[in-house]
Amino acid sequence: MGKTIIDKLWESHVVAKEVNKPDLLYIDLHLLHEVTSPQAFAGLREKNRKVRRPDLCFATMDHNIPTVDRFNIKDDTSRLQVQTLEKNCEEFGIKLEGLDSLQQGIVHVIGPELGLTLPGKTIVCGDSHTSTHGAFGALAFGIGTSEVEHVLATQTLWQNKPKQMNVKIEGELGYGVTAKDVILWFIANYGTNAGTGYIIEFSGSTVRDFSMEERMTLCNMSIEAGAKASVIAPDEKTFSYVQGKTYAPKESEFNEKCEDWKKIVSDSDAVFDQVIEINASDIEPMLTWGTTPSMCLPISGQIPAAESAFSIEEKQSIESALSYMGFNGHEKLEGVEVQHVFIGSCTNSRLSDLIEASVVVEGEKVHPDVRAIVVPGSQSVKREAEGLGIHKIFLDAGFEWRDSGCSMCLGMNDDIVPEGDRCASTSNRNFAGRQGKGARTHLVSPIMAAAAAINGKFTDVRSMLQTKNPEVDRYVGI
Amino acid sequence: MSGFKTLTGKAASLKRDHVDTDQIIPKQFLKKIDKAGYGEFLFYDWRYHSQGQENPDFDLNKEETKGSSILITGKNFGCGSSREHAPWALKDYGFHIIIAESFADIFFNNCVKNGILPIRLSAIEIQQLYTDRSVSVIPHLTVSLENQQVVNERGDRFDFEFDPYWKNMLINGWDEISVTLQYEDKIKKYEFERIVN
Ligand code: SF4
């Protein structure tokens, strides 16, 4: 029987295999940030332990930092957390891209950008969206702080091999439909539980046609479908993305590596525990209406009413989501007014996301009742966008143009949505209170967010794109 | 960490599905750099109204649930972020066992690493834990990890599955890192072979 990508990645990292035990897996790259690491370092210190391979660790600060006036962290506890990471990295000899670094950014944006994320690696981070790195054919998953400590001390983790799911997406996406819509559609149709206990391989022509940045968006939100991780077979696009990046292998070594990486594909006779087939042409621009990512509909949709539920539990969850989100049920999504727009987060803050959104924004003005911010995923993305003049398009339209960080994705810094306000957000979680207590989050793609900023309400971005550039029959990501 | 054997205690129920880690411990409480003292912030937005006064309708604020050591909940408990602050808060509050229909993967691991026992039972079994369904009497349960069994006051027994390795770890209260450090030779060998190949 053939092997899947997941089998291959798994088997090549097993350090020890014993009966009645999980496998001991070797970890090739450990990414760290300020929020989930302090207690792990404290644990090491308490037991007088060292970091086994500081050279395989890499740290940045992103969750808790300001996106304006970044060196002036007003909140004492936030500042302490940032200083603690600096101190820990210094003491244990770990490379850190701190606030003053030109490479600083959201951990899942800078890993790929710096060529740390490579095909074939096992990658962990104390952050659930580590699944993002699977877009490169890496086995990448989020871990808790105890596991962070374990990896620091041993460079390994005890893991039971999850089940495997192949999600095949075939065909061409419609005009104005993006990778974000694909993953939202998947979660809307299969639920936040669909991937629990699984690693997903995304395959099919739609995925192959995706750029690396689109693939990252897809893998990023696989955790919202409950999956432990997700992977995509690396191909020429992957190799050319990686080539020349700071920490990527150089020249002859690079070519050798490419030959190895080409083997990271699922064999044609490989067997998955579950296969889901999706037709790309079924997918429309999506947005969430409720408080879990599966409470999500096409822009043409109508918010459900509690009566439509199949069970008492579902009725209760619809009722509580409706009341939190300020809906009665039966409203049309198109036309729902928003007060905030956030373009950012590790899901959608890369250069192509900003370029796509800027196409919608160009020559327009942000609606007077909307406060809109763009938070590039990294300082590099910010500089590149500025090099292309993208920031001017946003600034001229009335957007705020910020420094990089997690920002309004989780509102640990000052970037918070006030109680009762609605936010069109390109991030990944719409849980109650995520963007601020009582904040109402609607997850959308960058172009849908841009359209909401201009119109002050949700609209079908496709009609805006049509009038802007009637030549384009499908808005293609970069 | 001390070992986990058998526990008898009062069970509070939080009958909701998809309780995410942002609800278990909201992000404003993640800024600390130690592991202690998160219990008072557990389910913060549900437990307290905007001005900080207690919400009397929230399950855990009801007098009869006070002092519970077991939490009974629904599907996909602990979904969302990897924050270990969630199990730290649950444990600090006093919960040692969580019984749910299903758990998010990372959260499940995080519980085990912190000496909290996460138990999966079916929806029907969870219903049957309550000996009297007409009045919401708080059940007292006895949980044995050794026998992988939950027993209610009526004596109904419910078996649950548990990974043998993590079971051992929990029962013995082992420090996992010390266990792994005994594999140093194998880790070295692996690293060496990777460089050579
Ligand atoms: S951007 Fe949001 S989801 Fe991504 S790492 Fe930061 S907080 Fe987590």
Side-chain angles (χ1 to χ4, degrees):
Chain A
M1 197 172 70
K3 290 184 175 164
T4 64
I5 298 184
I6 299 151
D7 294 330
K8 293 179 187 182
L9 292 173
W10 193 277
E11 286 165 16
S12 61
H13 288 87
V14 173
V15 171
K17 197 173 188 63
E18 291 167 23
V19 203
N20 270 341
K21 270 192 184 176
D23 292 341
L24 187 62
L25 287 191
Y26 196 78
I27 303 302
D28 297 324
L29 174 65
H30 186 188
L31 300 166
L32 295 133
H33 65 84
E34 77 278 23
V35 176
T36 54
S37 67
Q39 295 84 356
F41 284 109
L44 290 184
R45 223 174 265 124
E46 218 171 88
K47 297 254 165 68
N48 223 345
R49 286 172 176 149
K50 291 195 307 257
V51 174
R52 188 170 197 288
R53 291 290 302 268
D55 57 319
L56 301 181
C57 300
F58 198 93
T60 192
M61 34 190 80
D62 51 7
H63 281 66
N64 208 347
I65 59 171
T67 53
V68 274
D69 194 11
R70 59 182 2 208
F71 297 109
N72 184 11
I73 306 180
K74 294 186 199 81
D75 183 82
D76 289 341
T77 45
S78 301
R79 196 171 50 247
L80 177 63
Q81 212 167 46
V82 162
Q83 289 166 345
T84 305
L85 182 65
E86 283 168 352
K87 198 174 115 233
N88 286 332
C89 287
E90 200 184 308
E91 182 180 333
F92 290 96
I94 291 170
K95 181 133 182 48
L96 166 73
E97 302 294 353
L99 275 179
D100 54 351
S101 161
L102 292 174
Q103 323 302 340
Q104 176 276 340
I106 303 172
V107 62
H108 310 307
V109 175
I110 69 169
E113 220 169 55
L114 293 171
L116 291 162
T117 304
L118 295 175
K121 276 192 180 181
T122 44
I123 302 175
V124 296
C125 174
D127 189 279
S128 56
H129 290 95
T130 311
S131 59
T132 313
H133 308 263
F136 289 78
L139 180 62
F141 52 91
I143 56 178
T145 299
S146 299
E147 290 172 312
V148 169
E149 186 178 336
H150 191 275
V151 178
L152 287 172
T154 69
Q155 205 56 37
T156 62
L157 274 178
W158 294 98
Q159 292 286 312
N160 283 310
K161 194 170 170 192
K163 289 184 285 187
Q164 304 184 39
M165 185 189 292
N166 186 1
V167 177
K168 287 188 194 167
I169 314 166
E170 298 283 355
E172 245 182 84
L173 284 178
Y175 176 74
V177 182
T178 67
K180 179 64 162 288
D181 302 303
V182 174
I183 190 66
L184 284 174
W185 188 93
F186 177 68
I187 299 163
N189 284 277
Y190 292 91
T192 48
N193 242 341
T196 306
Y198 284 90
I199 298 180
I200 295 175
E201 177 182 343
F202 289 110
S203 64
S205 63
T206 316
V207 179
R208 280 198 304 278
D209 287 347
F210 273 161
S211 67
M212 287 315 293
E213 303 207 340
E214 291 174 303
R215 292 179 190 181
M216 284 188 248
T217 300
L218 188 64
C219 289
N220 173 276
M221 282 191 73
S222 57
I223 180 82
E224 265 65 59
K228 181 175 181 83
S230 55
V231 290
I232 293 173
D235 58 11
E236 291 301 329
K237 274 185 202 162
T238 320
F239 309 149
S240 62
Y241 179 101
V242 164
Q243 190 164 25
K245 296 274 188 285
T246 311
Y247 294 98
K250 301 279 168 319
E251 286 139 35
S252 64
E253 198 202 341
F254 178 80
N255 295 330
E256 256 174 55
K257 282 280 179 198
C258 283
E259 290 311 310
D260 288 346
W261 294 340
K262 282 180 190 156
K263 295 175 199 146
I264 308 173
V265 286
S266 290
D267 300 334
S268 55
D269 56 342
V271 178
F272 289 84
D273 300 286
Q274 198 183 338
V275 179
I276 291 177
E277 292 182 23
I278 294 171
N279 190 344
S281 60
D282 291 344
I283 302 171
E284 286 181 69
M286 303 291 289
L287 75 147
T288 61
W289 60 266
T291 49
T292 79
S294 63
M295 292 174 163
C296 183
L297 288 164
I299 177 69
S300 58
Q302 199 180 356
I303 296 167
E307 309 92 77
S308 65
F310 294 112
S311 64
I312 298 171
E313 289 79 18
E314 194 190 347
K315 182 162 180 273
Q316 282 168 348
S317 78
I318 294 179
E319 272 168 356
S320 83
L322 288 174
S323 115
Y324 182 85
M325 294 298 289
F327 292 126
N328 299 314
H330 299 302
E331 291 95 334
K332 284 194 137 156
L333 278 168
E334 186 149 19
V336 168
E337 290 178 1
V338 303
Q339 293 76 42
H340 298 262
V341 171
F342 169 59
I343 299 182
S345 91
C346 58
T347 314
N348 282 127
S349 63
R350 297 179 180 84
L351 189 61
S352 61
D353 298 313
L354 306 192
I355 293 174
E356 288 183 17
S358 76
V359 171
V360 177
V361 170
E362 189 152 25
E364 309 278 355
K365 287 274 176 256
V366 169
H367 190 277
D369 299 336
V370 172
R371 174 189 180 219
I373 66 172
V374 182
V375 184
S378 70
Q379 292 301 83
S380 307
V381 169
K382 187 181 187 203
R383 273 193 311 282
E384 279 175 64
E386 287 172 354
L388 295 169
I390 307 280
H391 66 308
K392 289 218 43 147
I393 298 176
F394 285 114
L395 285 168
D396 289 348
F399 276 83
E400 294 173 37
W401 180 252
R402 300 287 187 85
D403 278 319
S404 73
C406 294
S407 178
M408 211 176 259
C409 173
L410 89 163
M412 257 186 100
N413 64 1
D414 296 335
D415 306 337
I416 282 174
V417 177
E419 193 158 356
D421 276 11
R422 264 180 222 296
C423 180
S425 178
T426 66
S427 56
N428 43 52
R429 287 192 176 135
N430 53 340
F431 298 148
R434 173 89 176 170
Q435 294 190 297
K437 190 173 162 80
R440 294 166 174 165
T441 304
H442 296 269
L443 303 177
V444 282
S445 72
I447 50 176
M448 282 286 285
I454 307 303
N455 298 314
K457 58 187 180 196
F458 287 112
T459 54
D460 191 333
V461 67
R462 291 174 293 191
S463 49
M464 267 183 104
L465 283 172
Q466 293 279 13
T467 51
K468 279 183 170 291
N469 190 356
E471 306 288 298
V472 187
D473 63 340
R474 185 207 146 203
Y475 191 74
V476 184
I478 297 165
Chain B
M1 201 158 58
S2 59
F4 192 109
K5 287 191 179 66
T6 299
L7 182 142
T8 300
K10 196 152 84 166
S13 44
L14 186 66
K15 289 208 163 163
R16 305 186 193 208
D17 291 337
H18 306 290
V19 172
D20 57 74
T21 52
D22 282 77
Q23 308 311 326
I24 300 175
I25 180 102
K27 73 256 164 176
Q28 63 267 36
F29 307 116
L30 309 183
K31 296 180 180 179
K32 293 171 19 130
I33 56 167
D34 51 17
K35 292 187 185 181
Y38 291 93
E40 55 177 308
F41 310 122
L42 179 72
F43 299 121
Y44 192 83
D45 289 347
W46 287 339
R47 259 164 82 197
Y48 303 101
H49 289 305
S50 301
Q51 267 70 45
Q53 70 278 40
E54 249 191 37
N55 168 12
D57 297 330
F58 180 59
D59 305 281
L60 298 189
N61 286 342
K62 302 200 172 123
E63 204 39 55
E64 60 270 25
T65 67
K66 296 269 156 78
S68 301
S69 53
I70 303 170
L71 182 68
I72 304 176
T73 181
K75 279 199 250 325
N76 202 22
F77 188 74
C79 59
S81 100
S82 66
R83 60 184 72 153
E84 204 156 307
H85 311 68
W88 295 335
L90 286 159
K91 188 150 185 199
D92 192 46
Y93 185 87
F95 291 119
H96 294 276
I97 293 171
I98 302 169
I99 300 177
E101 277 175 61
S102 61
F103 294 90
D105 288 334
I106 304 178
F107 177 81
F108 186 93
N109 285 341
N110 284 344
C111 283
V112 174
K113 311 273 156 129
N114 287 284
I116 296 178
L117 175 61
I119 297 175
R120 295 188 192 94
L121 290 181
S122 71
I124 298 167
E125 289 170 322
I126 289 180
Q127 265 309 328
Q128 292 167 346
L129 292 175
Y130 298 84
T131 39
D132 185 347
R133 260 173 279 161
S134 54
V135 277
S136 62
V137 173
I138 306 297
H140 278 77
L141 305 172
T142 298
V143 176
S144 157
L145 175 56
E146 188 81 60
N147 302 327
Q148 295 178 221
Q149 208 167 53
V150 181
V151 185
N152 67 7
E153 286 151 283
R154 199 165 47 202
D156 306 329
R157 290 165 190 278
F158 306 88
D159 294 329
F160 61 91
E161 287 179 21
F162 210 78
D163 181 89
Y165 177 75
W166 299 121
K167 177 177 171 177
N168 229 335
M169 198 69 80
L170 268 175
I171 287 182
N172 294 303
W174 279 332
D175 166 23
E176 199 192 348
I177 295 177
S178 319
V179 174
T180 312
L181 287 173
Q182 291 164 19
Y183 286 76
E184 177 62 19
D185 287 351
K186 288 201 163 171
I187 301 172
K188 270 208 185 111
K189 182 162 167 271
Y190 178 88
E191 285 175 328
F192 179 73
E193 283 169 1
R194 277 283 288 275
I195 297 165
V196 174
N197 295 324

